[in-house]
């Protein structure tokens, strides 16, 4: 299968594998090196191409090229070589920078393995092709500094040797804050700006699109561990969670990484957004796996513009299409694009790499012996003719860093030369001796404004935070390869303006215009709140409905908001609605019913009173204490009107009168009944001499019970009104959606004492009436009084539990009903039998009937 892919690749002329054996062989055999003359030479190590074995048995230590190898062209890194040459040309043409010194360059490819790289480095430093240190022949030019990158693996093992000789080394790869702080390499300078705010920018992007469930791929090293710590810290602040974290192990000196362990778990993860933090060289096998699995539904967030040309495959769909890339913001360097347009084999015949590219892409004839093309190519061919996914004419981050690195060395050399001329004197004809380590003080202090206006420093402590461009990678159909700027991130901007992004410009990997979602749990819609699952991260939760009278009008609310007492939650529990103010009104059906009952019973009592007045001279009316009967009837008539104080809009006056008038009237009624029962007992039960009994009856002593009991009730009411009088209150909880205006009794103790006092009067009356139940029954009402008191007590005993179990208007209605029921019991049980005799059996209401009845009883045999 692998050889079939090689054949297809060669047929399509895609520069990943060995597309043309003859031309690519030259790059390996001649050990590609490019030189430019100058007094001072900057040496660069660039991985312009890589040689890979086609099978695992190939010995990497062999130096001879054979057909078991393939060559990968890294054109993004080749652009770095062009940037170095362009910067040196600019400096040599600048009369104000190094006026009496010319800069040269030496470009070396980074071969596979540390041994070969160090051998090349020894040869460059010694001025010959010998790989023996300190044994090189004298050279006319002086090596001043070494540029390395873009991956840190390359810079690290080259820096190990250079640091021994204090040879200046400038890296153009991503900035490593750990190395800057630890100072592991005292001779190393990082040109790239700090990335300390990059994690903040990535998390800001997650927060902007509400991506709170993301996966992470990082390189398993010290920098990866520090980055993971920084990312998690920022994620915790913004409540973004990690679905998985995969640390990729990279072997030093190798571009291949170990396969990621949890492939099935990651592929099946519900996270649709995955962050890859690292460079494309270090994570090569990871991206190969991604492309092989065709993970087109994921959104990839990358931390640098990857060299996508090395990942070409043979599908129309690219897994990285729609990726969002954070890249350092920089302006275009003037004339660099023109330089690349004019860079061709005829102008730079010593560049073998360029000859090979012309042979591959423009089908030029190639001479194997000289490793050069013949002059039968496409006229005016240039690198600009290549597709954008193969060679991008826009300056990359690495090329920009290389350009600034060359200028940093030039400015440092310029300052050093001026310093030597100022403080050192030389004899005529004597040359200044140059040692590379003398450049360090000037490199540390160098500071200049680049051609795009950026302030450049090499001291990591003086580096400021940089702005980032957010780039959307468009690669559908395959081969389009466009990097479209869709936003920016600036850590120095105000808090709400740090991230700026144009969502409508983004092409998503899903192919949809809607922003992809990446959440562990679906959002809780309004009316619900989040409840976190035990043992899970905060991003994984369940949704439960808000409790009664609480709302949530936003998605993913942690807590519902309780509505004010004057409002209530609608059915969906997303809005608080104004409650309707209500009370037991006269126009309510219940209010109307109770009002008619009150007036009806009061009218009925008035009728009974009229009947008694008309028949006041009859025996049945006289026999039951006429004055007490009138008093009881008038009191009951007023008691039946008492509920009218409970109906209608409550006021302070009505609230005070309700309980006090009710208590006062029923006290009079019950004390009247008590006076009746005592009168009966005096008449038949007291064993005092007849003269005393007659005096008690004639003086109407029982009638004094009424004012005494009433005064006691007035005293209780006065205490109630003085300590805690009734007042107007609002009940916002009893009835859904309503605020009920009620009368608060003020003191529950006083209210129950009032009922207790009435109950005591009723029980005493019942006891007295019970004692006289067996007395002569001619017009004797003792039994009726006892039964009426029994019903009265039953009504109010039943009222108490109902009163405490109901709320709002129902409570008021129950109290009115109890008043009417207890009054009706007195009226009906005491006066109904009398009215029956007066109106329907008048023959019984006569002295003749009473005498005949007594005579009949005497003649009845004993």
């Amino acid at each position: 299968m692998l050889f079939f892919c090689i054949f297809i690749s060669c047929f399509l002329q895609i520069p990943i594998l060995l597309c043309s054996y003859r031309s690519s062989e030259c790059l390996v055999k001649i050990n590609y090196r490019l030189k430019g003359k100058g007094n001072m030479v900057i040496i660069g190590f660039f991985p312009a191409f890589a040689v890979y074995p086609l099978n695992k048995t190939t010995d990497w230590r062999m130096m001879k090229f054979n057909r078991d190898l393939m060559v990968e062209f890294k054109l993004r890194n080749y652009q770095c070589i062009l940037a170095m040459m362009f910067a040196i040309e600019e400096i040599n043409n600048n009369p104000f920078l190094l006026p009496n010194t010319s800069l040269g360059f030496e470009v070396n490819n980074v071969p596979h393995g540390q041994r070969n790289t160090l051998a090349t480095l020894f040869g460059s430093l010694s001025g010959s092709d010998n790989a023996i240190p300190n044994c090189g022949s004298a050279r006319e030019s002086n090596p001043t500094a070494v540029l390395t990158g873009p991956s840190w693996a390359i810079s690290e093992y080259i820096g190990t040797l250079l640091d021994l000789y204090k040879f200046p080394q400038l890296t153009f790869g991503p900035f490593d804050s750990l190395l800057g702080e630890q100072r592991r390499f005292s001779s190393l300078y990082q040109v790239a700006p700090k990335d300390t705010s990059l994690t903040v920018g990535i998390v800001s992007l997650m927060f902007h699109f509400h991506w709170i469930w993301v996966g992470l791929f990082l390189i398993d090293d010290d920098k990866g561990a520090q980055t993971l710590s920084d990312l998690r810290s920022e994620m915790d602040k913004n409540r973004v969670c990690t679905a998985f974290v995969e640390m990729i192990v990279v072997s030093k000196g190798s571009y291949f990484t170990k396969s990621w362990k949890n492939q099935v778990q990651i592929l099946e993860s519900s996270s649709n957004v995955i962050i890859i933090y690292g460079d494309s060289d270090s994570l090569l096998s990871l991206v190969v796996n991604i492309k092989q699995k065709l993970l087109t539904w994921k959104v990839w967030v990358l931390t640098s513009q990857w060299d996508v040309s090395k990942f070409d495959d043979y599908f129309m769909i690219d897994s990285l299409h729609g990726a969002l890339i954070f890249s350092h913001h920089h302006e275009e360097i003037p004339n660099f694009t023109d330089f690349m347009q004019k860079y061709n084999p005829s102008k730079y015949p010593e560049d073998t790499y360029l000859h090979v590219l012309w042979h591959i892409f423009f089908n030029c004839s190639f001479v194997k012996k000289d490793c050069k093309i013949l002059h039968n190519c496409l006229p005016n061919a240039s690198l600009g003719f290549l597709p954008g996914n193969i060679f991008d004419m826009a300056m990359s981050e690495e090329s920009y860093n290389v350009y600034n690195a060359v200028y940093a060395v030039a400015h440092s050399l310029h300052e050093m030369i001026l310093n030597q001329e100022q403080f050192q004197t030389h004899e005529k004809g004597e040359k200044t001796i140059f040692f590379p380590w003398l450049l360090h003080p000037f490199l540390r202090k160098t500071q200049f404004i680049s051609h795009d206006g950026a302030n450049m420093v090499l001291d990591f402590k003086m580096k400021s935070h940089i702005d980032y461009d957010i780039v959307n990678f468009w690669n559908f159909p395959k081969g389009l390869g466009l990097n479209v700027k869709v936003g920016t991130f600036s850590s120095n901007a105000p808090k709400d303006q740090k991230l700026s992004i144009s969502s409508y410009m983004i092409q998503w990997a899903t192919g949809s215009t809607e922003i992809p979602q990446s959440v562990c749990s679906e959002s809780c819609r309004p009316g619900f709140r989040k409840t976190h699952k035990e043992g899970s991260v905060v991003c994984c939760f369940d949704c439960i409905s808000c409790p009664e009278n609480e709302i949530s009008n936003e998605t993913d609310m942690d807590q519902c908001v309780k509505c004010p007492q004057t409002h209530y939650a609608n059915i969906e529990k997303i809005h608080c609605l104004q409650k309707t103010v209500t009370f037991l009104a006269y126009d309510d059906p219940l209010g109307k019913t109770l009002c008619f009952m009150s007036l009806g019973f009061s009218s009925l009592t008035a009728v009974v009173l009229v009947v008694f007045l008309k028949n006041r001279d009859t025996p049945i009316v006289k026999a039951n204490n006429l004055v007490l009967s009138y008093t009881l009837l008038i009191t009951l008539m007023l008691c039946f009107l008492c509920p009218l104080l409970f109906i209608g809009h409550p006021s302070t006056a009505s609230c005070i009168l309700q309980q006090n008038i009710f208590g006062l009237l029923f006290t009079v009624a019950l004390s009247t009944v008590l006076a009746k029962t005592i009168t009966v007992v005096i008449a038949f039960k007291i064993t005092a001499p007849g003269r005393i009994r007659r005096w008690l009856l004639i003086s109407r002593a029982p009638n004094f019970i009424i004012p005494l009991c009433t005064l006691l009730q007035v005293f209780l009411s006065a205490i109630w009104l003085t300590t805690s009088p009734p007042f107007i209150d609002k009940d916002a909880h009893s009835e859904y959606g309503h605020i009920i205006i009620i009368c608060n009794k003020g003191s529950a103790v006083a209210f129950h004492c009032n009922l207790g006092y009435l109950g005591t009067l009723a029980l005493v009356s019942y006891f007295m009436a019970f004692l006289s139940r067996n007395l002569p029954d001619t017009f004797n009402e003792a039994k009726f009084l006892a039964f009426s008191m029994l019903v009265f007590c039953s009504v109010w005993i039943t009222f108490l539990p109902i009163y405490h179990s109901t709320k709002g208007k129902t409570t008021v209605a129950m109290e009115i009903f109890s008043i009417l029921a207890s009054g009706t019991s007195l009226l009906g049980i005491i006066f109904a039998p009398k009215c029956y005799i007066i109106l329907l059996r008048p023959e019984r209401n006569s002295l003749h009937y009473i005498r005949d009845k007594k005579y009949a009883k005497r003649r009845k045999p004993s």
Side-chain angles (χ1 to χ4, degrees):
M1 181 65 181
L2 183 58
F3 287 97
F4 175 75
C5 292
I6 297 172
F7 170 76
I8 295 296
S9 177
C10 294
F11 179 77
L12 296 175
Q13 292 188 355
I14 298 178
I16 302 173
L17 305 180
L18 184 58
C19 303
S20 174
Y21 169 73
R22 291 177 58 216
S23 58
S24 300
E25 178 185 0
C26 284
L27 290 176
V28 181
K29 276 190 171 183
I30 67 174
N31 191 17
Y32 174 67
R33 179 178 291 178
L34 187 62
K35 295 183 178 181
K37 293 182 179 181
N39 303 119
M40 299 292 180
V41 174
I42 300 176
I43 303 172
F45 282 85
F46 303 91
F49 64 90
V51 182
Y52 298 125
L54 291 180
N55 59 71
K56 296 181 179 179
T57 60
T58 303
D59 187 359
W60 275 106
R61 293 173 296 178
M62 69 181 185
M63 301 299 294
K64 184 178 179 181
F65 184 85
N66 60 57
R67 293 181 181 271
D68 293 329
L69 302 177
M70 65 178 181
V71 175
E72 176 198 350
F73 291 90
K74 301 185 177 183
L75 297 181
R76 184 180 176 90
N77 293 337
Y78 182 67
Q79 191 194 73
C80 295
I81 298 175
L82 301 183
M84 179 179 178
M85 297 172 62
F86 173 69
I88 290 176
E89 280 193 14
E90 274 192 341
I91 293 168
N92 288 334
N93 293 329
N94 187 348
F96 303 104
L97 185 60
L98 296 175
N100 299 319
T101 304
S102 61
L103 273 182
F105 62 86
E106 182 178 314
V107 174
N108 298 279
N109 183 60
V110 179
H112 190 90
Q114 296 186 26
R115 176 184 174 184
N116 295 335
T117 302
L118 295 179
T120 305
L121 177 61
F122 280 131
S124 297
L125 297 180
S126 61
S128 66
D129 293 333
N130 297 324
I132 304 174
N134 298 327
C135 296
S137 58
R139 55 188 296 172
E140 296 180 359
S141 56
N142 296 311
T144 58
V146 175
L147 305 186
T148 58
S151 72
W152 181 247
I154 297 172
S155 299
E156 186 176 14
Y157 57 74
I158 291 178
T160 304
L161 175 64
L162 293 178
D163 199 51
L164 294 176
Y165 297 95
K166 304 301 179 185
F167 202 96
Q169 177 188 4
L170 288 84
T171 65
F172 55 88
F175 187 88
D176 191 333
S177 57
L178 290 177
L179 291 172
E181 294 170 359
Q182 296 173 0
R183 299 297 294 171
R184 287 173 54 189
F185 301 99
S186 59
S187 301
L188 184 143
Y189 303 89
Q190 300 185 70
V191 182
K194 281 184 178 180
D195 274 333
T196 50
S197 61
L198 180 55
T199 54
V200 180
I202 293 174
V203 176
S204 298
L205 183 70
M206 303 297 107
F207 184 78
H208 175 80
F209 287 121
H210 198 63
W211 293 334
I212 59 173
W213 188 239
V214 300
L216 290 177
F217 280 110
L218 301 100
I219 299 175
D220 191 7
D221 56 11
D222 293 340
K223 183 177 180 181
Q226 181 63 42
T227 302
L228 177 60
S229 175
D230 294 341
L231 275 173
R232 278 183 166 163
S233 176
E234 286 298 323
M235 286 180 173
D236 290 342
K237 294 177 185 177
N238 294 274
R239 308 189 75 174
V240 179
C241 306
T242 52
F244 62 86
V245 177
E246 189 71 14
M247 304 299 288
I248 305 299
V249 179
V250 180
S251 300
K252 292 185 178 180
S254 171
Y255 297 117
F256 286 100
T257 61
K258 295 181 181 180
S259 180
W260 24 312
K261 301 182 290 294
N262 307 313
Q263 292 194 31
V264 175
Q265 175 189 349
I266 294 170
L267 292 175
E268 295 179 354
S269 171
S270 58
S271 172
N272 293 323
V273 176
I274 298 177
I275 301 170
I276 303 180
Y277 202 107
D279 57 272
S280 55
D281 282 339
S282 301
L283 299 175
L284 174 61
S285 66
L286 167 66
V287 181
V288 171
N289 271 281
I290 291 172
K291 286 180 167 282
Q292 287 177 350
K293 301 293 187 298
L294 283 178
L295 303 180
T296 55
W297 63 90
K298 303 288 186 182
V299 177
W300 303 93
V301 179
L302 312 178
T303 58
S304 62
Q305 291 190 358
W306 289 24
D307 187 1
V308 294
S309 63
K310 69 171 66 175
F311 304 130
D312 282 333
D313 46 41
Y314 313 106
F315 300 96
M316 284 296 291
I317 302 174
D318 182 10
S319 298
L320 294 179
H321 169 69
L324 294 173
I325 305 167
F326 277 80
S327 63
H328 296 135
H329 175 76
H330 62 82
E331 303 295 337
E332 288 295 325
I333 299 299
N335 303 320
F336 180 62
T337 303
D338 293 338
F339 174 80
M340 290 191 293
Q341 290 278 10
K342 298 175 182 178
Y343 194 83
N344 55 60
S346 60
K347 188 173 182 180
Y348 298 90
E350 67 280 2
D351 191 349
T352 307
Y353 197 98
L354 200 59
H355 287 267
V356 174
L357 292 182
W358 249 245
H359 170 65
I360 294 172
F361 291 107
F362 302 123
N363 201 24
C364 299
S365 299
F366 193 81
V367 179
K368 180 181 178 182
K369 180 180 179 182
D370 299 329
C371 289
K372 292 185 178 181
I373 61 171
L374 297 177
H375 297 285
N376 58 348
C377 293
L378 183 69
N380 300 322
S382 73
L383 292 171
F385 286 11
L386 302 182
N389 65 316
I390 294 177
F391 187 84
D392 194 350
M393 295 295 288
M395 178 175 268
S396 65
E397 287 184 34
E398 295 81 7
S399 298
Y400 181 76
N401 292 337
V402 168
Y403 179 85
N404 287 323
V406 174
Y407 266 92
V409 173
H411 280 280
S412 300
L413 277 172
H414 186 84
E415 291 296 324
M416 187 186 72
I417 293 172
L418 290 178
N419 184 71
Q420 289 178 342
E421 291 177 353
Q422 183 177 0
F423 296 102
Q424 298 180 13
T425 57
H426 304 283
E427 296 182 2
K428 187 175 182 181
E430 182 182 352
K431 294 184 178 179
T432 303
I433 300 175
F434 173 77
F435 297 103
W437 55 84
L438 297 176
L439 198 59
H440 284 299
F442 302 95
L443 283 171
R444 294 190 189 101
K445 295 179 181 179
T446 188
Q447 186 171 356
F448 63 94
I449 303 299
S450 64
H451 283 73
D452 64 339
N455 184 30
M456 294 302 303
V457 292
L458 294 181
D459 187 352
F460 77 96
K461 295 180 181 179
M462 298 177 61
K463 287 180 178 291
S464 59
H465 297 292
I466 194 173
D467 296 343
Y468 293 91
D469 290 334
I470 302 175
V471 178
N472 187 215
F473 179 56
W474 295 1
N475 202 27
F476 182 81
K478 189 65 183 292
L480 181 63
L482 293 180
N483 291 316
V484 181
K485 180 179 175 181
V486 294
T488 58
F489 177 80
S490 176
S491 59
N492 298 319
K495 184 177 180 180
D496 297 333
Q497 301 175 15
K498 292 181 183 292
L499 181 70
S500 173
I501 194 162
S502 302
S503 303
Y504 67 91
M505 295 179 61
I506 301 176
Q507 287 193 7
W508 300 108
T510 57
S512 173
T513 57
E514 296 183 359
I515 299 174
Q517 299 296 313
S518 186
V519 294
C520 178
S521 303
E522 290 295 328
S523 295
C524 294
R525 66 178 186 270
F528 291 79
R529 70 175 180 89
K530 296 191 295 185
T531 174
H532 296 292
K533 299 178 181 178
E534 187 175 355
S536 301
V537 294
V538 295
C539 300
C540 300
F541 50 82
D542 293 322
C543 298
I544 61 172
S545 178
C546 287
E548 185 179 355
N549 208 39
E550 293 186 11
I551 65 164
S552 63
N553 53 9
E554 297 179 4
T555 57
D556 290 339
M557 289 190 67
D558 292 319
Q559 296 293 334
C560 297
V561 179
K562 192 173 184 65
C563 289
Q565 288 192 352
T566 57
H567 292 70
Y568 69 98
N570 63 346
I571 298 176
E572 295 81 9
K573 296 183 178 179
I574 59 176
H575 296 296
C576 288
L577 305 178
Q578 182 78 37
K579 288 183 177 180
T580 304
V581 177
T582 185
F583 49 88
L584 186 60
Y586 288 103
D587 54 354
D588 287 346
L590 181 60
K592 287 180 180 179
T593 302
L594 295 175
C595 181
F596 289 145
M597 290 176 64
S598 175
L599 294 175
F601 285 122
S602 182
S603 301
L604 181 60
T605 307
V607 170
V608 173
L609 178 61
V610 171
V611 170
F612 267 59
L613 287 172
K614 286 184 177 182
N615 297 275
R616 58 183 177 275
D617 296 326
T618 60
I620 196 170
V621 175
K622 289 182 178 181
N624 293 286
N625 197 323
L626 187 63
V627 176
L628 293 179
S629 296
Y630 291 162
T631 303
L632 182 59
L633 286 172
I634 294 172
T635 305
L636 286 177
M637 185 171 59
L638 295 176
C639 285
F640 284 126
L641 294 176
C642 184
L644 297 179
L645 292 172
F646 292 80
I647 305 173
H649 194 292
S651 63
T652 303
S654 64
C655 288
I656 293 175
L657 291 175
Q658 280 179 8
Q659 303 302 326
N660 290 280
I661 295 297
F662 153 70
L664 184 64
L665 292 175
F666 268 92
T667 298
V668 174
L670 293 175
S671 60
T672 303
V673 173
L674 180 60
K676 276 178 169 287
T677 59
I678 291 176
T679 301
V680 174
V681 171
I682 291 174
F684 296 97
K685 278 288 186 178
I686 293 180
T687 58
R691 185 167 52 86
I692 298 176
R693 184 189 306 172
R694 191 178 303 110
W695 177 82
L696 290 175
L697 292 174
I698 293 173
S699 63
R700 299 180 181 179
N703 293 356
F704 290 102
I705 294 175
I706 299 174
L708 289 175
C709 293
T710 304
L711 285 174
L712 183 57
Q713 173 63 36
V714 172
F715 177 72
L716 292 176
S717 297
I719 295 175
W720 186 358
L721 294 177
T722 304
T723 56
S724 180
F727 57 90
I728 301 174
D729 197 5
K730 295 180 180 180
D731 181 4
H733 308 288
S734 300
E735 192 171 337
Y736 183 77
H738 293 84
I739 297 177
I740 303 173
I741 307 297
I742 59 173
C743 286
N744 190 306
K745 295 179 173 52
S747 174
V749 174
F751 172 70
H752 288 89
C753 287
N754 191 25
L755 292 181
Y757 178 65
L758 295 178
T760 302
L761 290 177
L763 287 174
V764 172
S765 300
Y766 170 75
F767 177 74
M768 299 299 292
F770 183 79
L771 291 178
S772 59
R773 67 189 185 282
N774 294 322
L775 297 177
D777 57 354
T778 304
F779 304 133
N780 182 17
E781 60 180 355
K783 294 180 181 179
F784 300 115
L785 292 175
F787 186 62
S788 66
M789 291 299 98
L790 183 63
V791 173
F792 182 90
C793 291
S794 299
V795 169
W796 287 103
I797 290 173
T798 306
F799 162 77
L800 287 175
I802 297 176
Y803 172 80
H804 289 290
S805 62
T806 56
K807 295 180 179 179
K809 293 189 291 186
T810 307
T811 303
V812 180
M814 286 305 304
E815 190 169 357
I816 294 174
F817 181 78
S818 298
I819 293 172
L820 295 176
S822 57
T824 305
S825 68
L826 295 176
L827 178 66
I829 296 173
I830 296 175
F831 293 99
K834 297 179 177 61
C835 291
Y836 171 76
I837 293 174
I838 293 172
L839 297 176
L840 300 179
R841 304 296 295 271
E843 69 278 4
R844 294 185 179 182
N845 190 15
S846 64
L847 292 175
H848 178 73
Y849 176 78
I850 295 173
R851 291 192 190 99
D852 291 343
K853 189 174 180 182
K854 288 182 179 180
Y855 179 75
K857 283 185 177 181
R858 288 195 191 102
R859 294 189 60 182
K860 188 179 292 185
S862 54

